Amino acid sequence: MTDIPAVSVVIPLYNKGPYIARALNSVLAQTFQDFEVIVVDDGSTDEGAEVVRGFDDPRIQLIQQENRGVSAARNRGIEAVRAELVAFLDADDEWSTEHLRTLLRLRDSYPEAGAYGTAYLVKEKDSKVHVASFSDDIPQEPWEGLLPSYFKAATFGDPPISASTVAIPIYILKEMDGFSTEEWMGEDVDLWGRIALKYPITFSWNSKGIYHTEASNRACNRVEPLGEAVFVRIAKKAIDAGKVSPAMLEDLREYIALRQIRRAWGNIHAKRPDIARNLLNNCVTRKFIRKKYWAIFWACMPSNVYKSLRSTKKIFTETMHKAQKNCLNIFKDRRTYKKTE
């Protein structure tokens, strides 16, 4: 190992005290050990910073700043890195032991790529763990290589890369000016999209990280109004300027459309159907016409009507799940009783 590490790991931290030790231990357990870890505490009010200080490893550096958001925290970490390759990990997620080795192998095999990502497991609140639902456009496991189409894969499946399983060369991060601080939601996929407009993206089924959806204090659980996504604006300008290749154009347009529809639903939930209608009016799609007009239907409903119907649907769904579970338990009890007769 040299004075300059082979890879820098950036971990943004905000009120994730119960989880940060798990994340750090998963980094320290890597089979590849030539790394540094930069944890940026973004004004946490819990014990997270103290947990980090409790790790007796000189490779771990803690930076503290006033609360400015996850993008600002990641960007502060990027400023401090020394390696040419930067890997990211959220404070409530974790890696498998071969993760860094896989990312470095991808970098060595595909130096022309703008980002290197791996598949990941999703852990739900019920403790079940499953592989993310990736698009069929990605060749089947154990394939790894350059994605045939990042935007198609991201449109018809879970994102092929995530903020906890991606590594990006430092020169790419500087070229892109890091993560956008304009938004609190989707700032990571904004960066992946900007990179994918100019560079190929790699993917590997090996060394899956674990994305914990059961953790508390997750930004995606916030319900607040949002305008058009930063990347959508950038992508539209690139299309209008003729900077998008014909091979990418259709996939990019459908990706934009799906982002608009999903953001519209976020605004419907946040009681801003006016913003939702504006987003949907500017949504052009061939693949998601039904999704678009279903969202328009609800965006034209009064917010109190939508909230009431949504609550009724939730109660009905929960009741049905409980009834199904009770029926299954009764069936199991009867089978057990018959076996003991």
Side-chain angles (χ1 to χ4, degrees):
M1 300 197 309
T2 63
D3 291 338
I4 298 178
V7 59
S8 297
V9 182
V10 173
I11 303 177
L13 173 65
Y14 178 70
N15 288 351
K16 295 290 178 67
Y19 316 110
I20 182 61
R22 179 180 65 195
L24 286 172
N25 281 326
S26 76
V27 178
L28 296 178
Q30 293 296 297
T31 58
F32 183 87
Q33 288 284 305
D34 187 8
F35 58 77
E36 66 176 355
V37 183
I38 299 170
V39 181
V40 181
D41 177 29
D42 191 43
S44 295
T45 57
D46 66 0
E47 75 284 3
E50 291 304 315
V51 173
V52 176
R53 290 192 184 96
F55 278 79
D56 185 20
D57 193 311
R59 294 172 297 179
I60 299 176
Q61 176 185 357
L62 175 65
I63 299 174
Q64 293 183 278
Q65 64 180 26
E66 294 182 358
N67 182 247
R68 294 164 51 201
V70 65
S71 289
R74 290 190 183 115
N75 289 341
R76 179 64 185 88
I78 292 168
E79 292 175 359
V81 303
R82 294 182 296 146
E84 294 297 317
L85 186 67
V86 184
F88 294 92
L89 174 63
D90 283 350
D92 51 358
D93 294 335
E94 59 183 308
W95 288 341
S96 63
T97 57
E98 290 287 322
H99 184 67
L100 282 182
R101 192 175 295 279
T102 299
L103 292 175
L104 286 161
R105 184 178 68 248
L106 286 174
R107 191 273 312 272
D108 293 341
S109 299
Y110 306 97
E112 73 276 23
Y116 307 95
T118 71
Y120 49 92
L121 303 172
V122 179
K123 186 170 185 180
E124 307 288 355
K125 292 182 180 180
D126 57 8
S127 296
K128 291 182 179 178
V129 180
H130 61 86
V131 180
S133 300
F134 296 113
S135 166
D136 292 338
D137 188 59
I138 300 176
Q140 294 184 351
E141 194 170 0
W143 176 88
E144 67 179 27
L146 299 175
L147 288 172
S149 170
Y150 167 81
F151 291 110
K152 187 174 183 180
T155 300
F156 296 99
D158 287 336
I161 56 176
S162 78
S164 286
T165 56
V166 67
I168 302 172
I170 187 63
Y171 78 90
I172 297 286
L173 290 167
K174 291 180 178 179
E175 178 185 343
M176 299 293 162
D177 292 324
F179 292 85
S180 171
T181 56
E182 291 185 45
E183 297 180 324
W184 55 265
M185 171 72 85
E187 76 294 327
D188 49 357
V189 292
D190 161 71
L191 178 58
W192 321 149
R194 286 188 282 129
I195 294 173
L197 282 175
K198 298 186 65 176
Y199 298 94
I201 307 293
T202 66
F203 179 89
S204 174
W205 285 100
N206 293 328
S207 308
K208 301 175 180 68
I210 301 179
Y211 174 56
H212 287 266
T213 65
E214 85 282 8
S216 60
N217 191 35
R218 300 176 66 235
C220 60
N221 293 332
R222 290 170 59 181
V223 180
E224 294 180 14
L226 280 169
E228 191 170 66
V230 172
F231 175 74
V232 169
R233 296 200 303 269
I234 292 172
K236 284 182 175 180
K237 288 181 180 179
I239 292 173
D240 292 341
K243 296 181 179 179
V244 178
S245 69
M248 182 188 293
L249 191 56
E250 182 178 355
D251 293 341
L252 177 59
R253 281 176 171 160
E254 295 300 336
Y255 176 80
I256 290 171
L258 189 61
R259 291 288 302 275
Q260 295 283 71
I261 294 169
R262 287 176 174 171
R263 183 145 293 196
W265 275 111
N267 282 291
I268 292 171
H269 295 162
K271 300 181 180 180
R272 287 301 305 272
D274 55 321
I275 300 177
R277 289 192 296 270
N278 184 58
L279 291 169
L280 293 166
N281 287 336
N282 292 298
C283 174
V284 179
T285 178
R286 293 196 306 164
K287 305 287 188 181
F288 303 110
I289 293 175
R290 289 185 180 180
K291 289 180 181 290
K292 173 184 174 178
Y293 283 102
W294 183 239
I296 289 175
F297 171 80
W298 287 108
C300 292
M301 284 282 185
S303 295
N304 60 332
V305 174
Y306 171 76
K307 182 179 179 181
S308 176
L309 290 173
R310 190 181 181 213
S311 298
T312 302
K313 179 181 177 182
K314 182 178 180 181
I315 293 171
F316 175 77
T317 302
E318 290 176 349
T319 302
M320 289 300 295
H321 284 168
K322 288 180 181 179
Q324 290 173 355
K325 187 175 181 180
N326 289 336
C327 287
L328 182 61
N329 288 336
I330 292 172
F331 177 72
K332 288 181 178 178
D333 290 342
R334 286 180 175 176
R335 290 184 64 184
T336 302
Y337 175 75
K338 287 182 177 180
K339 288 181 179 179
T340 57
E341 285 183 330

